Amino acid sequence: MLKVGLTGGIGSGKSEVSRRLAGHGAVVIDADRIAREVVEPGTGGLAEVVAAFGAGVLREDGTLDRERLGRIVFSDPGELARLNAIVHPRVGERMAELQRRAPADAVVVYDVPLLAENGLAPMYDVVIVVDASDEVRLDRLTSRRGMTREDALARIGAQAAREDRLKIADIVVPNEAGLGELDARVAEVWTELLARRGA
């Protein structure tokens, strides 16, 4: 089994790379998706988030209002740490369970947004960083995701600096051009991952 850590700042296009690697045959374990699952209605995770941040972080239907919670935690490092202390252990348990289910010879790609921030690079055989400038990411967040410039800058600012992410990279996937170039680069990366697994 080859364990691959995939990361990139918000708006870098990491999810696009993740989808393409899955298309090539990787087993993808998506930390963001799991982070949403562990705070779904009826979970202990959501109950703990509400106990910590108040019922104001819930929508009328009882689901977590991620935007409202985001405004609280991304402007205050202490509040972000409090949320992470609730969510991260649950995410870790679920990721370990999914890894146990993967075939023994799989290329397992862990899609982990905060890989650099949490010092997780040593856990993986290979670290892939999807890279785009802060300006490109800011434009994507405001134009495609509808974030205000202020919210987008707060999210970018709460993550590792671009240089710090690049320092931990074994493989860099630049993503400022079109999807055709991204497809070609991901195909090259997949060939390299297969070679590393074989070695």
Side-chain angles (χ1 to χ4, degrees):
M1 182 180 289
L2 185 73
K3 297 178 189 174
V4 180
L6 174 67
T7 196
I10 187 169
S12 65
K14 178 179 54 61
S15 298
E16 291 290 339
V17 172
S18 179
R19 269 195 292 279
R20 283 160 174 76
L21 288 170
H24 282 287
V27 173
V28 174
I29 298 177
D30 184 336
D32 258 357
R33 185 178 305 142
I34 295 168
R36 286 191 291 273
E37 288 172 7
V38 301
V39 291
E40 283 178 351
T43 62
L46 183 60
E48 217 174 310
V49 168
V50 171
F53 296 98
V57 297
L58 293 177
R59 293 195 178 95
E60 284 182 18
D61 64 0
T63 59
L64 184 63
D65 186 333
R66 296 174 67 83
E67 290 72 30
R68 183 173 293 171
L69 181 61
R71 284 194 291 276
I72 296 168
V73 302
F74 290 114
S75 60
D76 183 333
E79 295 290 76
L80 182 58
R82 190 153 66 125
L83 176 64
N84 289 342
I86 296 167
V87 175
H88 287 179
R90 289 173 165 85
V91 171
E93 286 168 22
R94 179 73 176 129
M95 289 176 83
E97 179 188 331
L98 292 172
Q99 180 188 307
R100 287 192 295 272
R101 290 189 198 168
D105 65 344
V107 173
V108 181
V109 174
Y110 299 82
D111 184 334
V112 183
L114 301 179
L115 192 153
E117 291 80 348
N118 293 323
L120 302 177
M123 293 176 56
Y124 306 102
D125 302 313
V126 182
V127 173
I128 299 173
V129 172
V130 183
D131 182 53
S133 71
D134 291 353
E135 296 75 28
V136 167
R137 293 164 53 214
L138 181 61
D139 180 62
R140 287 174 180 163
L141 294 174
T142 54
S143 65
R144 297 180 192 172
R145 294 200 199 172
M147 283 186 190
T148 66
R149 182 177 170 82
E150 185 179 66
D151 278 351
L153 286 169
R155 299 282 177 109
I156 289 171
Q159 293 186 338
R162 183 182 184 191
E163 302 75 41
D164 293 333
R165 255 192 308 276
L166 290 171
K167 278 181 201 163
I168 62 165
D170 297 302
I171 298 172
V172 176
V173 177
N175 187 26
E176 293 185 350
L179 292 178
E181 284 189 32
L182 186 64
D183 286 335
R185 179 63 182 130
V186 171
E188 290 171 3
V189 167
W190 181 247
T191 300
E192 183 172 344
L193 294 177
L194 294 180
R196 287 181 185 234
R197 182 190 65 181

